[in-house]
Amino acid sequence: MTLGRLTLSRRRVLALGGAAAVLAGCGPRRRAPLPAVPSVQPSPVSQAWSIPVGLPAPWKEPPVTRFDAGLRAAVGRYLRPTPERPEHPMYPGAVAFAAVDGRVAAHFAVGDAVRYGADKAELPAGARVPARTDTMYDLASLTKVFTAVLALRLVERGRLELDAPASRYLAAFADKPGITVRMLLTHTSGLSKDTPLAGETPAGRLEHVLREPPVAPPGSGFLYADQNFIALGAIVAELAGERLDMLVRREIAAPLGMADTGFIPPGALLPRIAATEGALRGSVHDPSAAAFGGVSGHAGLFSTASDVALFGRALLDGGGALLRPATVELMRTNANARFGPAAAHGLGVDVDQAWYMGRLAGHGAFGHTGFTGTSIVIDPRRKAILVLLTNRVHPDAAWGNNNPARKAAADALAG
């Protein structure tokens, strides 16, 4: 069986030859559906959820309540049609979590986790599932930041070198000696954001993607491509000798108390999971991650807003139990200044991207977005964290993107 051409990129961000442009930012894209064959279904062998996770460290008291009303208004506005988009809401539901100086500024849910049926028709009110603060969302490309942290932990241990050829760690890169690990982290490898995905098994499909040649000379510009983190995830798993789902659970979720974070969530969690495209629920939305068995370096994680905020707090606090302060500083420093402001990217994170960070951008804010409607922004100057999880792809990814909501929420917190 050969699968059709799939778009591996989830953000239309391009900057080659020194020119950078944000084209649509996690907006709609064409996607060839995967055939519903058993080999494409998420693997049932994930044992990561059995790894014990302790209680998270408490937030400071008392909470900072003055931001709550503004954030609720900013996020809630897009639950209904707007003059810019009168046909339908921007998303059916959302959960927001904000913290300032270690104190919770807001944590609330709005709308529905499940609002539409497989036919895209609205469900009767009694059949809908309201969003709750503990609703779990498909994080999509926010997964990349977790993969970056795992990679940087290997750098700290001397197992991985940022400026070494990726081919040193990945046999499938033998014909791409010019691509370094740092280039994968900064999306400057020249690898394509559009790659045919073919093969009979998850391992075969992964091998096929890894062997794809770059479309531009390595180091010549910024081209956001899922391929970079598919490769980085493969490197991390190879060096650690363990699957990414196990590594994320043991090395990130467990020490931070992120009990609701992991790949391939078990069926018992299904009632808490927000739907994505159509009626898809509990299985990864990203087609390439699904084809790899549900676990990949670029997409596949599920989590709650409060869990993602714990991850953000560790990075804001200099790495916490995850990384050394100097490593976090390197991670959030713009490595792509020569390619223009739209290409500003550290090691696995965006830097000062006002198109979704709003007024939090401009002084070293860093974060990431996800195609399903997720985002995190960390602003060291304000000591602020903003997590917005939506299922804007439910019921149709082509209905639009939620960048206006991301920006509005960031502006509310900045104000």
Side-chain angles (χ1 to χ4, degrees):
M1 178 192 72
T2 300
L3 301 181
R5 186 175 183 83
L6 299 177
T7 299
L8 296 185
S9 173
R10 289 294 174 264
R11 291 183 303 172
R12 311 301 194 201
V13 181
L14 174 63
L16 291 174
V22 176
L23 303 183
C26 283
R29 86 296 185 228
R30 295 177 186 172
R31 185 185 59 145
L34 289 176
V37 295
S39 59
V40 182
Q41 300 308 307
S43 169
V45 300
S46 176
Q47 300 174 353
W49 291 90
S50 65
I51 294 175
V53 174
L55 293 175
W59 296 87
K60 293 180 183 177
E61 295 291 346
V64 187
T65 57
R66 67 179 183 273
F67 298 100
D68 185 84
L71 281 164
R72 285 179 184 269
V75 176
R77 173 191 175 194
Y78 297 98
L79 288 173
R80 54 189 180 273
T82 63
E84 300 81 14
R85 185 171 294 282
E87 317 91 78
H88 47 69
M90 184 175 289
Y91 40 71
V95 179
F97 190 110
V100 177
D101 195 22
R103 292 178 168 84
V104 177
H107 186 201
F108 59 84
V110 294
D112 298 313
V114 181
R115 181 170 177 172
Y116 301 91
D119 58 357
K120 302 181 185 178
E122 284 193 314
L123 297 170
R128 300 177 187 179
V129 179
R132 309 186 319 183
T133 53
D134 67 347
T135 295
M136 298 174 66
Y137 287 81
D138 181 335
L139 296 186
S141 283
L142 260 65
T143 303
K144 292 181 173 72
V145 189
F146 289 75
T147 303
V149 167
L150 292 175
L152 292 172
R153 285 170 65 85
L154 290 170
V155 171
E156 289 184 344
R157 298 168 189 168
R159 301 284 308 283
L160 184 65
E161 294 182 21
L162 289 174
D163 294 312
S167 58
R168 177 186 297 177
Y169 312 103
L170 205 56
F173 267 42
D175 59 345
K176 297 183 278 286
I179 295 177
T180 66
V181 174
R182 190 188 299 270
M183 290 175 186
L184 297 177
L185 282 158
T186 57
H187 294 284
T188 56
S189 67
L191 290 173
S192 172
K193 62 185 178 67
D194 296 312
T195 300
L197 182 59
E200 297 286 347
T201 64
R205 294 170 199 138
L206 175 61
E207 182 76 8
H208 176 82
V209 170
L210 293 177
R211 291 196 178 280
E212 281 291 301
V215 295
S220 65
F222 174 77
L223 177 61
Y224 181 91
D226 286 348
Q227 270 187 280
N228 290 301
F229 278 76
I230 292 171
L232 191 67
I235 289 173
V236 168
E238 177 68 23
L239 289 179
E242 198 167 28
R243 284 167 44 120
L244 285 177
D245 52 347
M246 302 295 288
L247 293 169
V248 165
R249 191 72 173 174
R250 179 177 295 110
E251 298 198 11
I252 297 178
L256 297 184
M258 299 169 62
D260 292 327
T261 300
F263 292 91
I264 317 176
L269 293 175
L270 186 63
R272 291 177 48 202
I273 298 176
T276 54
E277 201 152 4
L280 186 66
R281 193 177 180 198
S283 294
V284 62
H285 174 265
D286 183 273
S288 47
F292 301 149
V295 179
S296 182
H298 75 294
L301 274 176
F302 287 75
S303 190
T304 62
S306 55
D307 265 17
V308 175
L310 293 173
F311 180 65
R313 182 173 68 175
L315 296 179
L316 181 63
D317 291 345
L322 303 181
L323 297 169
R324 300 168 187 162
T327 304
V328 175
E329 185 69 21
L330 180 64
M331 181 185 189
R332 67 184 188 88
T333 299
N334 181 15
N336 293 343
R338 63 194 184 280
F339 302 128
H345 208 82
L347 302 181
V349 292
D350 300 313
V351 179
D352 284 330
Q353 295 300 306
W355 57 272
Y356 75 93
M357 297 179 181
R359 288 190 288 145
L360 292 177
H363 299 275
F366 61 105
H368 215 287
T369 62
F371 183 79
T372 50
T374 59
S375 57
I376 182 172
V377 183
I378 303 167
D379 181 358
R381 186 181 70 149
R382 293 182 176 86
K383 298 182 180 178
I385 302 163
L386 175 61
V387 177
L388 179 62
L389 304 184
T390 80
N391 53 342
R392 69 100 192 163
V393 295
H394 177 58
D396 190 331
W399 277 12
N401 68 60
N402 64 317
N403 289 337
R406 289 167 170 152
K407 186 175 183 296
D411 286 344
L413 186 59

